[in-house]
Amino acid sequence: MVAPAVSTDAPGSWERVSNGPVPYEIYTKPIEKSPQDDREYRVIRLDNGLQATLVHDAKADKAAASLDVAVGHLYDPDDMPGLAHFCEHLLFMGTEQYPKENEYSEYLAKNNGSSNAYTGTSNTNYYFNVSTAALPGALSRFAGFFHSPLFAPSCTVRELNAVDSEHKKNHQGDMWRIFQVNKHLSKEGHPWRKFGSGNKESLSQVGQDLKAKGLLQSENGHTSGKGDAKGNGNGVSKTADGNLAPTPADSRAVSPAPSVSSAHSELEGDGGVVGRETRRRLVEWWSKEYCASRMRLCVVGKEPLEELGDMVATLFSPIPNRGQEPLHMIEDHPFGPNEMGTLVSVQTIMSFHALEVSFPLPYLPPFWRHKPASFLGHFLGHEGPGSLHSYLKQKGWVTGLSAGPQNLARGFAMFKVTLYMTPQGFEQYETLILSVFKYISMLRSSPLPAWYQRERSLISATRFRFAEKRRPDDYAVWVSEHMSWPVPRERIISAPQLVEEWDENDTTGGGEREMRAILDTLTVERSRTVLMTKADEYTRVRGTALQWEKEPWYGTPFHVERLSEEFVKKASAPNDLKELFLPGPNEFIPTNLNVEKKEVEQPSKRPFLIRETPLSSLWHKKDDQFWVPKAQVIMDIRSPIHNSSARAFVMTRLFADLVTDSLTEFAYDADLAGLSYNIGGHSLGLFMTLSGYNDKLHVLAKDVLERAKTLKVNPERLEVMKDQAKREYENFFLSQAYRLSDYYARYLLTEREWTMSELLEEVTTVTPEELQKHIKAALSKVHIQLLVVGNMYKDEASKLAQMAEDILQATPIPANEVIERSLILPSGSNFVWETPVPNKDEPNSSLTYYVNMGDSTDPRIRAPAALLSHILSEPAFNVLRTREQLGYIVAASQWNLSGGSQTGVRIVVQSERAPAYLEQRVDAFLRSMDEKLETMSAEEFQEHKSALQKRWREAPKNLGEEVNRYWSHVEHGYLDFHRRNNDADLLENVTKDEILALFRASVDPASTQRSKLSVHVKSQKPRPAKISVPAMEAFAKKVAARGYSVDEQAWKAALAADGDAPMEKFAGYWRDALLAQASTVSPQVAQELTTEVPPLLKQYPAADDGQEVVVEGATFIQEPKTFRASLKASARPHPLVDWADLPTSKF
């Protein structure tokens, strides 16, 4: 299929601007935007080829930027998988202008900002957000990534370890494993086969091979072979622009409380000859691929467009244009004849059954006008009557279905139909695959009238017109990603979001022709189907005859077979299923989009209690700032029965799942038209949300409530829901270790909570009769808390509340009967709970470390606690992750406990190292923070306060954010709606002495008053024994003393480049080295030297020697239930403010 011609900008569309510090061009046509969008846009082009979209937002209280480089992991060198990802990591580690490695993150943290980046297949995106006044400083630091990064040699090993840790974090994740199997099973030699995330092995193998061949000399680090234009052999390297720059002193700061190992590993941070070769290749690759013409930038700020333009031109013009193709296309599809017409079976880690049918597509952005592949996705993914989903669900074979196009890379795409099967559905997997082709056959043989496209066009136009603002960094990322689309520059905002109607008069070039051309390619001969489930399920359904291969990077077992001729014949036959038919018109498309806009001086910062009866309380706020025809409703139906036991909790969940399941066909059109709902069980009862266009929101609300009230439990659907819940509970134990440790910490500190094991024990035995009784009882006595925010007046909101009361017909209970409370750690406590990681193949352990700081209803505790958590956050990441390399997942943040009345700071670390060792390092970090706090300048302290004040004073960006702010106060019952602004004001008078006193009393490990709990989730996978650098140095001296010739450079390069070495590697190196000198020194001496090792291991222990580390002074929790029962519960919640919205209630 041939893509439409690429759009080009009309002649004369660009105009040169030369009155600023650096000349550039501006695009003269106005940028198409929604009438609702009050921002101003301008596209500019620098002389180096970089294009930028400037967004002026006069109301902004947060600025942002995103730079998208049109190079991703498909552009990695063939012999160095993961290099683009490694580059993304190292760019954060300092620039010539700002050499301190955490300068960028520290600047952002002090200015209410944050940053991140990701490496895609064809692009790498870097982005940040920051307070508006700090945008120039942030952009200055950011721009240096792209013209003068240091790629500091001292960071090489640490960021290699970070990439490796990230890979190991993902290693047991089915999404990553299946993705890589799909890539592996591509055309031989195709870039799609590459291993994108990389690991230490993939990034070091080239250097290891060169070293083994004697092509890397350890004496001076000089690289031979291709010729080294970047190094001089003394750890001094040229930055990309050619300046000699050693690792700056302030970029090499060691951990403030180093362990023996971390201190040594940081001194050897360039990785020796192998690490230097990896760095050389990185600089070589960056210097070629990071070309200005490949960069698309979006900046969102408060400054006028002219000022933003001058700022961007000044800061980003130094990026060189290296003459590369701006948007390199890979048009060869990874699916060839050998890949199509196959069935691939993949073994999963988690328990689920899925089936995905994929078809190759060309690159989709050139089809931006009519989006024909999405048109087909609309039908194949439909869930209404006559749909594929409806047919398979009624058979009891699927729990979910999705369909649509997916751009895989710049140049090719895929159309995918994914079925989430029940165990019975998996038994019929061939029938399910045939059903997909029967539906496609029906589409091919059916007239598809233009009104379908007209409906899609109307829905997209309505969505575009009333799109709300997003967080500025999210928006900047979206814009920079889509700037590479082949559309006229004036349409870079609108084209990706709008769908044009078909031109019914154009039978050759219209949208229907494009759609039919794609539909004709969706054949069984051009498909690949992937089955996904656990190994034992393959044995159960397919027997033991399958021959399994293993994908090389994740070790995922897979099996490939060609589809039989008989199956292909069946899949090519016309549709014979009468249950399949096309959907009708969407009755939920809104017709009343009126918004009465009444300008207000200041938007209200809280909702109002407008209705209160014995059965319900209604909080309401009419939209006074976003002016969109939308509303959000939260309905919390509370009952003491819902969470009275683990079994009751499970039954409430099953009840909510059955309601959702029964409404699928009805609610699907509403969801397409921009009106959605969610219903689920939680600790207080049944939680229901509705959001979207308010025009028909009451229709959806009525149907959901009536279905909940009148639901008759269908035994067959209950079995499906039970199986789904069971698998979810089982899969929880296969989650990443840090999620487990966080969960258990929350469990231990919550008054009424059940473990996943308790829920799993109950779910399989719930009967239809028992569940029916539970539903009746749970809805018989309730209190309803409602929050309505948006384009709804008081009377409309009140009618909604009255409707809920009328439908439920429940007996009222007191509003404060069902509450949530946390458990309070006693003063002077140090508790530890240990539990194994259930997944025996998971290499990572985790530590969740929590210290309680007190009652969060007291502003004099709450605000300082938040400030202290903010101050600890960036250094915790910098020390524990960046410098000490404990693991990829490291975070320190404020934690508010269940019920919202207790607060503290939580530090989480996921690592291959033991949790007890991690706790030692967290303790050491916290002890070091005493001096940092004590010596912190008044200016720096004020920066931290200012950053937090700005965060609290930020206005909500959309209706959803506003609702979330209000709901926590309604949910917990404190009604402290002005808390953010009040705390920001209070913070003004908080002193450094107060923060230091709070730290020393509540956080410092030396405190006798501290209340601390840590959860150790420990990997069951054995760790290889290690030997420390000091032990190796001592051993080398003993070897030399016994008459051997010792090559110090050689053994350090071989063993100590990464710090501590595996014992197996250490033993192998010295065995070979001593054996080589057997003719000059007696073998008996070598034998005697082996006895010297064990004492050295004790004298100089490795940081991670596999030995158990003792947590000093800790009380180990033996039985969690007993421990929880020993703790005092927090006070019952009560309103902190009496708003007096209503007269005194008569009830």
Side-chain angles (χ1 to χ4, degrees), residues 24 106 168-169 279 281 517 601 637 678 871 1021 1030:
Y24 59 90
E106 191 173 67
K168 286 173 178 171
K169 170 184 76 72
R279 179 187 180 275
R281 288 289 302 277
E601 199 169 307
I637 305 169
N678 185 60
I871 292 171
K1021 197 167 185 178

Side-chain angles (χ1 to χ4, degrees), residues 664-704:
T664 301
E665 290 191 359
F666 171 79
Y668 186 74
D669 271 348
D671 192 53
L672 286 178
L675 181 57
S676 61
Y677 84 98
N678 185 60
I679 186 168
H682 72 134
S683 61
L684 301 174
L686 203 61
F687 192 77
M688 189 171 107
T689 63
L690 300 112
S691 63
Y693 302 113
N694 56 279
D695 179 29
K696 293 172 182 173
L697 187 145
H698 63 286
V699 177
L700 183 61
K702 182 173 184 287
D703 210 79
V704 175

Side-chain angles (χ1 to χ4, degrees), residues 332-396:
D332 178 33
H333 203 282
F335 273 23
N338 293 333
E339 289 70 41
M340 296 186 287
T342 58
L343 173 66
V344 180
S345 300
V346 182
Q347 292 183 19
T348 63
I349 302 293
M350 289 194 172
S351 177
F352 65 92
H353 304 86
L355 177 161
E356 187 168 83
V357 185
S358 300
F359 306 88
L361 289 180
Y363 188 48
L364 294 173
F367 300 90
W368 57 272
R369 290 186 183 278
H370 304 110
K371 300 177 176 63
S374 296
F375 179 92
L376 296 171
H378 166 74
F379 289 93
L380 277 157
H382 210 280
E383 296 180 9
S387 67
L388 179 62
H389 177 272
S390 177
Y391 168 70
L392 296 174
K393 181 185 158 189
Q394 287 172 22
K395 292 283 188 182

Side-chain angles (χ1 to χ4, degrees), residues 197-270:
S197 61
N199 63 9
K200 199 167 189 175
E201 177 192 349
S202 72
L203 290 164
S204 303
Q205 193 60 53
V206 169
Q208 297 283 8
D209 292 345
L210 289 172
K211 179 185 166 191
K213 294 173 184 175
L215 298 176
L216 299 179
Q217 299 174 18
S218 59
E219 287 80 14
N220 61 8
H222 184 74
T223 306
S224 60
K226 296 182 181 178
D228 185 5
K230 304 291 180 186
N232 69 357
N234 297 311
V236 178
S237 304
K238 288 185 178 180
T239 48
D241 67 355
N243 294 324
L244 282 174
T247 299
D250 56 0
S251 177
R252 286 185 298 210
V254 296
S255 170
S259 64
V260 172
S261 174
S262 68
H264 279 273
S265 65
E266 287 174 12
L267 295 175
E268 301 290 338
D270 69 352

Side-chain angles (χ1 to χ4, degrees), residues 726-751:
K726 174 176 172 284
R727 291 180 189 282
E728 186 181 306
Y729 296 151
E730 288 172 339
N731 288 338
F732 165 79
F733 295 107
L734 300 172
S735 303
Q736 291 194 39
Y738 80 95
R739 296 191 185 278
L740 297 175
S741 62
D742 273 358
Y743 170 81
Y744 287 126
R746 290 275 188 194
Y747 164 73
L748 290 169
L749 295 172
T750 302
E751 183 188 33

Side-chain angles (χ1 to χ4, degrees), residues 721-959:
M721 296 304 112
K722 282 164 59 177
D723 180 72
Q724 220 173 336
K726 174 176 172 284
R727 291 180 189 282
E728 186 181 306
Y729 296 151
E730 288 172 339
N731 288 338
F732 165 79
F733 295 107
L734 300 172
S735 303
Q736 291 194 39
Y738 80 95
R739 296 191 185 278
L740 297 175
S741 62
D742 273 358
Y743 170 81
Y744 287 126
R746 290 275 188 194
Y747 164 73
L748 290 169
L749 295 172
T750 302
E751 183 188 33
R752 200 160 193 82
E753 186 80 15
W754 316 105
T755 64
M756 287 293 176
S757 299
E758 291 173 309
L759 303 181
L760 189 55
E761 199 175 312
E762 301 290 349
V763 69
T764 55
T765 58
V766 173
T767 66
E769 296 76 20
E770 183 185 15
L771 179 57
Q772 197 75 62
K773 287 179 184 176
H774 173 79
I775 294 169
K776 184 177 180 181
L779 294 181
S780 64
K781 293 182 178 181
V782 304
H783 183 81
I784 311 169
Q785 293 272 19
L786 290 105
L787 173 66
V788 177
V789 180
N791 190 42
M792 290 180 76
Y793 289 98
K794 286 182 183 180
D795 61 328
E796 294 172 304
S798 294
K799 284 178 185 175
L800 201 61
Q802 185 63 53
M803 181 178 74
E805 291 189 6
D806 292 344
I807 291 172
L808 293 178
Q809 291 289 310
T811 301
I813 62 171
N816 62 354
E817 182 174 329
V818 184
I819 58 171
E820 210 171 27
R821 295 199 292 179
S822 58
L823 299 172
I824 303 174
L825 295 169
S827 178
S829 59
N830 180 9
F831 292 108
V832 175
W833 187 47
E834 293 183 329
T835 188
V837 174
N839 181 358
K840 292 181 180 178
D841 292 322
E842 174 58 64
N844 285 301
S845 297
S846 179
L847 166 75
T848 293
Y849 183 112
Y850 174 78
V851 288
N852 199 50
M853 288 195 275
D855 184 353
S856 58
T857 64
D858 182 348
R860 292 302 307 184
I861 293 174
R862 182 178 66 240
L867 179 57
L868 178 55
S869 299
H870 174 80
I871 292 171
L872 291 172
S873 177
E874 197 279 334
F877 185 87
N878 188 44
V879 170
L880 300 174
R881 182 184 187 263
T882 305
R883 296 186 192 171
E884 295 198 14
Q885 288 292 292
L886 295 181
Y888 183 74
I889 301 290
V890 175
S893 61
Q894 186 177 16
W895 245 24
N896 293 315
L897 298 187
S898 182
S901 69
Q902 293 291 310
T903 192
V905 65
R906 156 271 206 175
I907 298 175
V908 64
V909 183
Q910 178 172 288
S911 173
E912 289 185 82
R913 294 177 173 175
Y917 174 76
L918 301 178
E919 179 148 337
Q920 280 191 348
R921 302 313 309 148
V922 170
D923 281 341
F925 160 71
L926 290 175
R927 282 192 288 269
S928 74
M929 284 301 297
D930 185 279
E931 182 184 358
K932 180 173 176 63
L933 286 167
E934 190 163 26
T935 59
M936 183 178 287
S937 68
E939 181 186 12
E940 185 180 355
F941 184 70
Q942 183 56 46
E943 285 174 334
H944 284 294
K945 289 207 305 186
S946 177
L948 199 52
Q949 287 172 316
K950 286 173 182 172
R951 183 194 303 170
W952 284 337
R953 287 172 176 151
E954 265 187 61
K957 302 296 180 285
N958 50 56
L959 206 56

